[in-house]
Amino acid sequence: MPRGTPFHSRTSALCESYAWRNWSGYVCASSYSLVPEMEYHAIRNSAALIDVSPLFKYRITGADAARLVNRVVTRDARGCKTGQILYTPWCDDHGKTVDDGTVWNLGDGAWRMTSAESNFRWLEESAFGMDAQVEDVSEDIAALALQGPLSKAILQAACDGAVDKLRFYRFIKTKLDGVPVTISRTGYTGDLGYEIWTDAGKAEKLWDAITGHGKGYGLTPAGLLALDISRIEAGFILAEVDYTPSRKALIESQSYSPFELSLDWTVSLAKGPFTGRKALVEEQRRGTPRRIVGLEVDWSVVERYYQKMGLSPEPPHLAWRSKIPVYAGLRQIGIATSGVWSPLLKRYIVLATVESPFAQVGSVVEIEVTLEGERKRAPATVVKRPFFDPPRKKA
């Protein structure tokens, strides 16, 4: 039975919608208000507070901790300095993605790995024969994502300027109203934002402190529906939606390599041996058969379909997660896996897997659109991801 996160006493009191979702065995708010779009607008225009405690967190120690990390991930962790974080996928022996997440260099030889899926047993098996210990600290650490253009202003007031010079994908240890915290400049919204990590026993005090400092900045608790809209705008892939972790794949087509995920920049083949390297070298040699891309659907065509039926056009204001065919001429060349009408960009944006010849920016394909049970097609153009990439995110 799903249980509450360390912040549940606070989030449950604010959840007017009574809309909850199971995330890795925890109940998390899908939305707090009856109008979840307002929570999205807080992410993009002021600041939003999102409970991300269900993320899995592992602490890796021992003389071979760095060696283990570099063995399992596709990035070259040797260049990751103390206080730095790397986003990376990690693969099985066939070069297919087991999961994607972050690795942290905590200093003193210790590392942290965060992920959406459970990876404890896989890490332990990978550490066989090494002087490396893997500890599951998921339940010990509570985490909040503070995201939006005013997030820095809130933390400046709350932490006496400790975050003033905090760079993108770096972290610091400090105190927030007396609560010991680790603050990382990371997030899943594609905007300026931070994630705040603390001992689970300090969760309620941390929530109260942040919300207190955020009162004058329009700070709003946001649920997973709002997060899903913003992560699509940011072009971020989601396990179990845009791809299936290789350990859960029932058929070959469900599992993806980092190249198929369009994460080429995260693969460091020159760093030396790592799990999946041989298969990835071979894939690079022969070519990647498919890619995840961003599509912009021609909404004017969809509008005409509605008008011909005598209906008012209804853009998908909430993110959808399903497999929708993508075509080129008479042939299906891929599937769309998630999409939404972007309130900020005023565009219908989609993440899709297409055959590599159609993955180039500017390529025009067609996506299936169903109205009143009738299947139709609308043109969609491959565009550069992220769809939304404000300068403030990395500034």
Side-chain angles (χ1 to χ4, degrees):
M1 181 177 178
R3 52 183 169 169
T5 74
F7 299 103
H8 189 68
S9 64
R10 301 299 188 264
T11 58
S12 59
L14 295 169
C15 190
E16 297 177 354
S17 69
Y18 290 95
W20 298 92
R21 184 180 300 180
N22 183 342
W23 178 6
S24 300
Y26 291 91
V27 287
C28 292
S30 290
S31 66
Y32 291 90
S33 66
L34 298 176
V35 186
E37 291 89 344
M38 299 307 295
E39 298 170 20
Y40 158 83
H41 286 296
I43 294 174
R44 292 291 183 240
N45 296 289
S46 54
L49 196 59
I50 308 164
D51 184 359
V52 294
S53 299
L55 287 170
F56 289 92
K57 316 161 195 86
Y58 304 104
R59 182 178 174 87
I60 303 171
T61 55
D64 291 330
R67 180 180 163 213
L68 171 61
V69 170
N70 211 39
R71 175 178 178 175
V72 297
V73 304
T74 61
R75 296 283 297 271
D76 190 347
R78 294 174 300 178
C80 184
K81 301 176 182 179
T82 299
Q84 185 177 357
I85 304 170
L86 297 179
Y87 166 75
T88 181
W90 41 94
C91 297
D92 60 20
D93 290 330
H94 303 289
K96 298 301 183 180
T97 305
V98 173
D99 203 352
D100 65 303
T102 61
V103 291
W104 305 40
N105 187 342
L106 301 176
D108 298 328
W111 293 74
R112 176 188 292 174
M113 176 178 283
T114 68
S115 61
E117 299 284 323
S118 174
N119 286 275
F120 182 67
R121 178 174 294 181
W122 179 78
L123 284 170
E124 280 202 320
E125 291 174 351
S126 298
F128 181 78
M130 293 187 182
D131 181 7
Q133 294 76 49
V134 182
E135 182 184 3
D136 188 343
V137 294
S138 303
E139 295 185 9
D140 301 332
I141 301 174
L144 290 172
L146 178 63
Q147 304 285 301
L150 298 183
S151 57
K152 182 177 181 179
I154 294 171
L155 287 182
Q156 282 177 319
C159 302
D160 296 326
V163 299
D164 283 356
K165 296 182 179 180
L166 184 59
R167 295 166 57 195
F168 193 54
Y169 268 73
R170 302 294 196 278
F171 69 90
I172 57 168
K173 294 183 178 181
T174 185
K175 289 189 176 181
L176 199 157
D177 279 7
V179 179
V181 295
T182 299
I183 300 176
S184 59
R185 194 164 165 190
T186 51
Y188 199 50
T189 65
D191 214 315
L192 172 63
Y194 304 82
E195 290 176 316
I196 308 164
W197 315 74
T198 193
D199 182 86
K202 306 284 187 180
E204 294 174 343
K205 188 175 180 181
L206 175 62
W207 180 281
D208 294 342
I210 295 175
T211 54
H213 285 284
K215 285 182 178 178
Y217 296 92
L219 179 62
T220 302
L224 299 182
L225 291 176
L227 181 61
D228 216 9
I229 297 172
S230 59
R231 73 95 186 169
I232 294 174
E233 289 180 332
F236 292 149
I237 56 173
L238 180 59
E240 304 278 16
V241 176
D242 301 305
Y243 79 96
T244 301
S246 63
R247 290 169 300 177
K248 296 184 176 181
L250 301 177
I251 55 177
E252 185 177 352
S253 64
Q254 291 179 340
S255 58
Y256 284 64
S257 74
F259 295 136
E260 291 174 307
L261 296 175
S262 294
L263 293 175
D264 306 49
W265 62 275
T266 67
V267 180
S268 300
L269 296 175
K271 74 172 183 175
F274 63 90
T275 306
R277 182 183 182 276
K278 184 177 180 180
L280 292 174
V281 168
E282 175 61 21
E283 181 179 342
Q284 187 182 65
R285 184 191 66 80
R286 70 174 187 268
T288 299
R290 59 182 181 172
R291 295 274 187 175
I292 286 185
V293 300
L295 297 179
E296 182 180 336
V297 181
D298 189 337
W299 183 249
S300 65
V301 173
V302 182
E303 281 186 324
R304 288 198 291 273
Y305 290 145
Y306 276 98
Q307 290 165 358
K308 287 181 179 179
M309 287 187 172
L311 298 171
S312 298
E314 295 183 13
H317 293 295
L318 296 179
W320 51 261
R321 302 176 176 184
S322 56
K323 289 180 169 59
I324 296 177
V326 176
Y327 300 94
L330 299 177
R331 190 165 66 87
Q332 182 176 346
I333 49 89
I335 52 171
T337 48
S338 53
V340 72
W341 175 265
S342 168
L344 182 66
L345 304 175
K346 302 296 187 288
R347 291 186 286 158
Y348 185 11
I349 55 177
V350 170
L351 294 177
T353 297
V354 299
E355 294 176 6
S356 290
F358 302 93
Q360 297 298 316
V361 171
S363 299
V364 179
V365 296
E366 290 183 307
I367 185 172
E368 188 172 281
V369 179
T370 303
L371 278 74
E372 294 296 303
E374 293 187 18
R375 295 180 178 180
K376 304 180 182 298
R377 297 186 188 181
T381 303
V382 177
V383 297
K384 185 179 179 181
R385 289 187 295 155
F387 302 100
F388 176 66
D389 190 22
R392 64 184 178 236
K393 177 177 71 176
K394 297 182 181 179

